[in-house]
Amino acid sequence: MSYKIAVLKGDGIGPEVTDQALKVLLSAASKYGILFDFTEGLIGGIAYEKTLNPLPQETIDLCKKSDAVLLGAVGGPKWDKLPNEKRPEMGLLNIRKALGLYANIRPAVLIPALKKECPLKDEIVNNGINITVVRELTGGIYFSEKGKRQGEFGIEAYDTDKYNETEIRRIAKVAFKLASKKNKKLVSIDKANVLESSKLWRSVVEEVGKSFCDVNLSHMYVDNAAMQLVKNPSQFDVILTDNMFGDILSDEAAQITGSIGILPSASLGDGTLGLYEPIHGSAPDIAGKNVANPIASILSAAMMVRISLGLDDIAKSIENAVNISLEQGYRTQDLDKESYISCSKMGDIISQNVV
Ligand code: IPM
Ligand code: MG
C-alpha cells in the first residue's frame, strides 16, 4: 500500500522538525510494509521568496491530490513588514480555507514521563491532563471584514468577529462526536457576556447538544477558562471554541503539559483530506540550530496516519516510540536546559523505538 503525502516544511524550525517526522514515518513504513510517497510543496516565507506568493496555486493542487498534508511552520521576522496578503501567515490561513479544513483538533495530554517538566504543582496535576481542544479554524475574527481607514482621530484599523449558524453547527458537531467517544464532557468556551457572535455561538451549541444527550455540555467564559486551565486542568475533557480563543487557549494548554514543543494538531473538513502540523510556530530564534523539539511534528504524523490513512496500529507504534524515548530520559533543550540532545538525535532515537 502506498500513500501520497504532501510535505510543506515552511519556515524557521519547520524544515528541521518535519525532517524528523519523515524519518519516523519511513522507519514505521519499513517495519509495517507500507510506502509513503512524499512530495514537497512551498508555503509561507520560503514560498514568498521563490514565487512572491505565500501560497502558490501548485501547493494547493498538490495538497488536493494527496492523501494527507504534513506541515512544519510558517513565519519569521524577515517578512514582518510585508503587506498582510503577502505575509507567510496568510499562506497557512489560506491553505486551511482552500482545503475547507474548519475543524482543528489539538490534544493536550500530560505524558507521564514529562510530569517533572509540567510547570503546575503536583497537587494540581495529580489527576492528569487529557484535554482535546476543538478550535474552529476558518471563520471568526481571522477571516471576517478587516481594514484600515481614516477616522475622526486619525488612522484607525479594525477587525470584526463574525460567525454564522452553519459554521457554528458543523464545528459543534465535531466536538460533540469527539466528546461522546471520550469522557462525554464538553465545555464550550465563549465571551457571551459581551460578544454577539458568542451569543449566537452559545445558542447554536445548545441546539446541537440536543442530539447528543450522552454528552454533558457546559459553557464557560474565555477569561475564566484561561484561569481554570491552570487552576484545575483535570476538569476538562473536550473544549470547543472559536478561532481566536482556540489559538490562545491551545498555547496555554500546551504549556501546562510541559512544552509547546510537544503538541500536535489535525485540521479536518468534511472530506478525508487532513492537514497535520505542530501547534508551535517557526521559532526563528532557534531555527537552523538543530535544537528544536521534533515531538510535536512526530505526533502530528501519528495523528495523520491514524485519521487520514486509517492506520491505527502504526499511529500507536509512533506514539509509543515517543513515550519510550521520553521514559528513557531523552530531552530536547526546551524540556531540559542542562542535559539535552539535538533535534535530529531525538528523531533518530524515536525512529529506533518504532517497533
Ligand atoms: C496556530 C498559529 C497560526 C494561527 C498563525 C501562525 C497564523 O498560531 O496555528 O496556532 O494563529 O492560527
Ligand atoms: Mg497559535
Side-chain angles (χ1 to χ4, degrees), residues 265-331:
S265 86
S267 302
L268 310 171
D270 289 325
T272 55
L273 183 62
L275 180 149
Y276 300 83
E277 57 171 319
I279 83 148
H280 62 65
S282 58
D285 52 324
I286 56 164
K289 297 187 179 152
N290 197 19
V291 295
N293 189 342
I295 291 181
S297 182
I298 293 168
L299 291 176
S300 299
M303 288 185 91
M304 176 182 87
V305 298
R306 171 176 291 121
I307 300 172
S308 281
L309 312 183
L311 304 168
D312 201 50
D313 46 349
I314 302 187
K316 279 203 187 101
S317 137
I318 295 174
E319 287 159 356
N320 276 341
V322 168
N323 290 341
I324 291 166
S325 308
L326 291 170
E327 274 156 25
Q328 288 169 338
Y330 295 107
R331 298 287 183 273

Side-chain angles (χ1 to χ4, degrees), residues 30-290:
S30 76
K31 281 166 190 138
Y32 285 79
I34 58 163
L35 290 172
F36 287 117
D37 174 5
F38 299 127
T39 309
E40 286 194 35
L42 293 171
I43 195 164
I46 178 83
Y48 173 78
E49 294 297 320
K50 298 206 168 146
T51 68
L52 290 181
N53 181 352
L55 181 64
Q57 184 60 40
E58 300 86 83
T59 300
I60 302 176
D61 296 341
L62 167 69
C63 294
K64 285 189 174 159
K65 56 178 208 254
S66 302
D67 295 312
V69 184
L70 188 64
L71 191 141
V74 298
K78 192 174 169 193
W79 304 289
D80 275 352
K81 298 236 153 53
L82 286 175
N84 246 349
E85 68 280 6
K86 299 280 182 202
R87 285 185 64 117
E89 289 80 0
M90 282 316 285
L92 183 56
L93 300 184
N94 288 340
I95 190 87
R96 292 169 175 170
K97 193 81 172 175
L99 302 178
L101 307 174
Y102 61 85
N104 187 219
I105 319 295
R106 302 186 156 186
V109 179
L110 179 59
I111 299 176
L114 287 183
K115 216 170 159 202
K116 214 169 91 303
E117 283 78 5
C118 170
L120 303 179
K121 288 185 190 146
D122 278 355
E123 64 252 39
I124 294 180
V125 291
N126 268 341
N127 293 326
I129 302 176
N130 188 334
I131 307 171
T132 305
V133 178
V134 179
R135 170 190 178 195
E136 199 291 326
L137 204 59
T138 54
I141 196 165
Y142 274 61
F143 289 94
S144 308
E145 198 197 331
K146 59 185 78 208
K148 245 180 169 177
R149 62 192 164 203
Q150 190 62 45
E152 197 185 341
F153 303 103
I155 294 174
E156 56 188 28
Y158 61 97
D159 299 89
T160 49
D161 198 359
K162 191 179 79 183
Y163 271 107
N164 62 52
E165 53 180 314
T166 310
E167 289 169 318
I168 304 169
R169 202 167 286 125
R170 65 184 183 179
I171 189 71
K173 280 186 190 154
V174 171
F176 274 105
K177 280 185 194 153
L178 279 172
S180 77
K181 282 194 226 130
K182 219 177 151 215
N183 289 322
K184 305 188 189 309
K185 262 181 69 185
L186 178 63
V187 180
S188 173
I189 293 170
D190 61 35
K191 189 71 185 172
N193 50 346
V194 178
L195 303 178
E196 277 303 325
S197 54
S198 280
K199 282 180 197 142
L200 181 67
W201 180 278
R202 203 175 265 225
S203 71
V204 175
V205 171
E206 287 278 343
E207 169 213 303
V208 174
K210 291 189 185 129
S211 317
F212 293 87
C213 302
D214 59 327
V215 176
N216 179 304
L217 168 69
S218 59
H219 304 274
M220 201 179 268
Y221 295 138
V222 62
D223 46 353
N224 183 26
M227 182 178 76
Q228 294 297 332
L229 270 173
V230 288
K231 198 174 162 206
N232 178 15
S234 314
Q235 70 183 289
F236 295 105
D237 177 27
V238 178
I239 283 176
L240 162 64
T241 193
D242 75 8
N243 206 345
M244 182 85 214
F245 300 151
D247 180 45
I248 299 167
L249 294 177
S250 60
D251 271 26
E252 188 186 0
Q255 186 55 48
I256 61 172
T257 63
S259 166
I260 193 165
I262 56 172
L263 234 89
S265 86
S267 302
L268 310 171
D270 289 325
T272 55
L273 183 62
L275 180 149
Y276 300 83
E277 57 171 319
I279 83 148
H280 62 65
S282 58
D285 52 324
I286 56 164
K289 297 187 179 152
N290 197 19

